[in-house]
Amino acid sequence: MLFVADLLLMLLDLFYSILSAVVQTFFRPRLKCIDGELCLITGAGGALGRLFALEFAKEGAHLVLWDCNEAANEQTAELARETGVKVYTYTVDLSRRQHIYETAEKVRLDVGDVTILVNNAGVVAGRRLLECPDELLERTLLVNCHALFWMTKAFLPQMKVRNHGHIVTIASALGLFSTACVEDYCASKFGAVGFHESLTHELRVENLNAIKTTLVCPYIVDTGMFEGCEIRKELRGLIPPLDPLYTVKQSMNAILGEQQMICIPRLMYIPFLTRALLPWDANVATYRFMGGDKCMMPFIKNVERKAAQSHIKTL
């Protein structure tokens, strides 16, 4: 009898969840106020990180900016300070676990408890697997995936004490389905997606429902990170590289609307679903038709060419 009751409750929850998602698709959800919150953004010196910092600053959140590039991080800070919020900068190497822990402790002493954590930093080796130095492969996994563990262990305990906070993972569409020649990046983003989903389940199990999570999975963003990447030319107008500001604004709507996951653009839900539903060979046929199986080849060649030119200059 208990099983039947639980089954009926599950079906009601299922129906309500689907209906709620449909409503939110057509009607903008109510956005929460984050004025006065303390928001930490990793990779704040990069294109997306800088835009996230400015958008959070517009909402009144005070900022803690982390980046390995001190100069770029300070540039972001100066722009954010123009909005009137408090901004604190730290130079951090996210590939070093101990450095993360030490800097996190410094943030707690200098500023206080972080209530919004935006794991935005990301890198890619840009080399074919068998030609890529192990150190570059390891760095991609350390920054894009392992750092999520250390960041969460550093800042989640304070969120748990207050049952208040928001953890954002900027992953990628390549964390939902893969392509050739970027094994390090795909592996790290699949790991990021798995980590984020498992963490979300854990918070629910512990009834910490006031600690929110948002997973962001954008298509390739036009920041130069994957310069040269392109799908079949007849389809490029349908799925062009994303404008960085558009990506960040869509992400902010999801974060402030406490949406658990967003794919940008919505078309990215289709390959995510087909990957799970269709046979492997059917997905391969679709990828080949779209040029998705070889879309990273021009990007890899660009990186190799630049590396060769740099080597020649040093001779």
Side-chain angles (χ1 to χ4, degrees):
M1 196 67 183
L2 179 61
F3 174 79
V4 175
D6 284 345
L7 177 61
L8 290 173
L9 285 173
M10 184 273 290
L11 291 173
L12 285 173
D13 284 343
L14 185 64
F15 175 76
Y16 174 78
S17 298
I18 294 173
L19 181 62
S20 177
V22 170
V23 170
Q24 288 186 16
T25 299
F26 295 99
F27 300 96
R28 185 174 179 178
R30 183 177 179 182
L31 303 183
K32 67 179 178 181
C33 175
I34 58 171
D35 185 58
E37 299 275 356
L38 186 60
C39 174
L40 189 155
I41 302 170
T42 64
L48 285 186
R50 180 166 298 172
L51 290 171
F52 271 117
L54 296 178
E55 290 299 316
F56 275 104
K58 288 177 185 176
E59 296 293 330
H62 302 301
L63 303 177
V64 177
L65 306 180
W66 284 21
D67 202 283
C68 61
N69 186 326
E70 183 177 0
N73 205 25
E74 288 297 337
Q75 290 173 2
T76 300
E78 288 303 312
L79 292 172
R81 289 186 182 109
E82 293 176 4
T83 65
V85 301
K86 296 177 181 177
V87 183
Y88 308 86
T89 59
Y90 296 83
T91 304
V92 188
D93 183 353
L94 292 179
S95 68
R96 295 167 52 198
R97 180 180 68 247
Q98 198 57 38
H99 201 195
I100 290 174
Y101 286 155
E102 290 171 357
T103 310
E105 182 61 28
K106 195 170 190 306
V107 169
R108 280 192 290 273
L109 295 173
D110 294 347
V111 188
D113 293 336
V114 168
T115 55
I116 302 174
L117 175 60
V118 182
N119 289 305
N120 163 74
V123 296
V124 63
R127 307 281 184 88
R128 299 170 192 270
L129 177 63
L130 298 182
E131 299 169 5
C132 184
D134 292 347
E135 294 77 14
L136 289 181
L137 294 173
E138 288 177 340
R139 179 168 175 78
T140 302
L141 271 295
L142 289 170
V143 174
N144 296 3
C145 184
H146 293 189
L148 303 179
F149 290 81
W150 321 138
M151 294 294 294
T152 303
K153 291 185 72 174
F155 294 104
L156 181 58
Q158 291 74 36
M159 295 183 187
K160 281 189 170 184
V161 169
R162 301 168 58 187
N163 190 21
H164 174 76
H166 201 137
I167 297 175
V168 180
T169 302
I170 308 301
S172 170
L174 290 179
L176 304 174
F177 52 87
S178 58
T179 188
C181 295
V182 282
E183 291 88 349
D184 61 322
Y185 190 80
C186 288
S188 69
K189 292 303 183 179
F190 267 78
V193 170
F195 169 80
H196 181 97
E197 290 182 351
S198 181
L199 175 64
T200 300
H201 288 309
E202 181 177 329
L203 293 172
R204 290 288 183 90
V205 168
E206 295 180 357
N207 293 316
L208 294 167
N209 296 318
I211 301 178
K212 306 300 180 181
T213 64
T214 299
L215 174 66
V216 181
C217 294
Y219 179 60
I220 294 167
V221 186
D222 191 15
T223 61
M225 184 175 185
F226 289 103
E227 183 182 357
C229 173
E230 54 188 27
I231 59 173
R232 186 171 182 162
K233 63 180 180 180
E234 293 88 349
L235 299 175
R236 289 172 200 165
L238 179 64
I239 318 177
L242 295 172
D243 174 70
L245 183 58
Y246 171 81
T247 304
V248 169
K249 285 189 175 294
Q250 291 295 306
S251 302
M252 289 297 296
N253 286 337
I255 295 165
L256 299 179
E258 296 184 342
Q259 185 175 333
Q260 284 84 8
M261 176 185 178
I262 181 172
C263 288
I264 309 171
R266 293 187 183 277
L267 277 174
M268 290 300 103
Y269 287 107
I270 296 176
F272 174 43
L273 291 173
T274 58
R275 180 182 183 275
L277 297 175
L278 295 180
W280 171 260
D281 287 341
N283 279 299
V284 171
T286 305
Y287 279 21
R288 284 179 175 172
F289 170 75
M290 298 184 65
D293 60 331
K294 298 179 180 178
C295 66
M296 288 293 173
M297 297 297 189
F299 159 66
I300 297 295
K301 289 179 180 178
N302 276 346
V303 173
E304 291 173 346
R305 185 180 67 253
K306 290 177 181 177
Q309 292 173 346
S310 177
H311 178 69
I312 290 172
K313 288 180 180 178
T314 59
L315 295 179

